[in-house]
Amino acid sequence: MAGALVGAFALLASSTLLSWPVRGGGGLGFSHAASTAVFNAAPGTCLTWSKPDGSDMAAVNCADRHLFEVSAAVDIAARYPQGAAFPDPAAWPQLTQQTCTEPTRKYLGGRLDPFGRFGVGALKPSEDQWRRGVRTLHCGLQNAAPSGRLLFTTGRVAEGDQSDVHEPGSCLGIVNKGVGDPVNCAQPHSFEIVGVIDLGTQFPNGFPPEGKQDEALAGLCGKLAADYSGHADLGARNLIVAWDNRRQESWNAGSHRTDCKVGQKLPDNSGLAPVTGSIRAKAPLQAAPPQEAPQGAPQEQQPPRQGG
């Protein structure tokens, strides 16, 4: 297998802010059951929905597929007393980060990976609920794709690894020469995931600096790419083998795994070139993307967080 080896490409993901409108408030009209599911959701509760308006939002076993894990319920009435104007859309992302980050960190026992798979978000009141005095934000954790779309996940975040990794065989879309949402490998994409490496087993004595990570991952990811592709000549297709470095903050939070992936750089090094089709040996075009929240689910993007 021939192909250039390069270091980490940053993956972008964004947190999302959701609201739960109620009947009579105009707009989407969530059912009473959906509002009840949110208001009764204690920390550790996992929520999911399938309808575009979220009207079937319900609590589920966290071992099952879900879109949101509640980490805290925070009352913001001291900051926004009765009669205060409903915050404009631009204010909510910052308010959520200021209000929810620390309670979520405590919920995770201090192990919140700021560059990991999960971002901090919130379920917020609708404007109608706000007028009636509701001032509670339900903070939580969610797995958001670069576009802000929520992806289904399983298991409690507090009990797992927060590393921002993907299943081997997954392909990540391409947007403006950068990494996009998961897509089928038959579609144009930026990277195809060929495997996952646990750096914790390679460096059992503590966090390795980026140079040491690169030294180890060059060989490990190169071998995974060779095995995955059936030792195809990737260089003949101008494909590169890449990986994601882990940062100290991620390592301290227990995120030790990283993706090994194959993609193609543009000739002028201004970004990534679109690749179509899987390189997996003796396999059809494959790797359907993880299932996402229904199209049209109420979402408001926050500033992107960078993978590390």
Side-chain angles (χ1 to χ4, degrees):
M1 185 276 292
L5 293 170
V6 300
F9 277 87
L11 301 183
L12 298 180
S14 60
S15 297
T16 308
L17 191 68
L18 309 179
S19 62
W20 60 92
V22 294
R23 294 188 185 279
L28 298 173
F30 274 49
S31 68
H32 175 73
S35 293
T36 300
V38 173
F39 283 119
N40 293 338
T45 300
C46 291
L47 301 169
T48 196
W49 57 92
S50 61
K51 295 182 180 180
D53 64 357
S55 60
D56 60 341
M57 186 182 293
V60 297
N61 190 313
C62 290
D64 297 329
R65 293 189 319 156
H66 58 271
L67 295 169
F68 194 85
E69 179 179 340
V70 178
S71 59
V74 181
D75 189 340
I76 59 173
R79 183 169 180 176
Y80 293 95
Q82 186 71 28
F86 188 73
D88 61 52
W92 279 112
Q94 183 178 7
L95 176 61
T96 298
Q97 292 302 311
Q98 293 173 345
T99 303
C100 291
T101 299
E102 192 54 36
T104 300
R105 192 188 314 278
K106 290 180 180 179
Y107 169 76
L108 294 174
R111 296 176 62 253
L112 175 61
D113 182 353
F115 309 110
R117 181 184 178 193
F118 300 95
V120 176
L123 301 174
K124 66 180 178 64
S126 67
E127 290 192 56
D128 180 63
Q129 291 171 320
W130 185 271
R131 286 192 296 269
R132 292 188 281 109
V134 177
R135 295 291 188 273
T136 300
L137 289 185
H138 283 77
C139 307
L141 293 147
Q142 58 209 6
N143 180 16
S147 69
R149 291 185 179 183
L150 299 187
L151 305 178
F152 285 107
T153 188
T154 58
R156 282 196 174 91
V157 177
E159 299 170 357
D161 188 323
Q162 298 175 45
S163 300
D164 191 9
V165 295
H166 304 79
E167 287 293 325
S170 301
C171 284
L172 307 178
I174 185 164
V175 178
N176 297 326
K177 305 179 185 180
V179 178
D181 291 8
V183 298
N184 190 290
C185 291
Q187 300 175 14
H189 55 269
S190 57
F191 285 118
E192 180 172 359
I193 309 302
V194 299
V196 175
I197 296 294
D198 185 351
L199 287 169
T201 63
Q202 305 296 318
F203 299 95
N205 296 322
F207 174 72
E210 187 172 306
K212 291 293 185 182
Q213 293 182 44
D214 288 341
E215 289 177 11
L217 290 170
L220 294 168
C221 288
K223 183 179 186 306
L224 282 178
D227 293 343
Y228 181 93
S229 67
H231 297 269
D233 186 355
L234 301 182
R237 293 180 57 184
N238 296 318
L239 295 173
I240 57 171
V241 180
W243 52 86
D244 299 318
N245 293 119
R246 293 282 78 98
R247 304 189 191 187
Q248 180 78 66
E249 298 95 325
S250 297
W251 192 272
N252 293 345
S255 299
H256 300 163
R257 296 186 298 153
T258 185
D259 281 332
C260 294
K261 51 198 178 183
V262 170
Q264 184 180 114
K265 295 171 68 177
L266 290 168
D268 62 1
N269 290 321
S270 63
L272 297 169
V275 178
T276 303
S278 174
I279 65 164
R280 176 174 274 179
K282 299 178 181 178
L285 299 179
Q286 49 162 357
Q291 290 184 284
E292 302 172 348
Q295 295 286 338
Q299 299 177 20
E300 297 173 20
Q301 292 189 30
Q302 293 192 52
R305 56 188 172 88
Q306 191 172 31

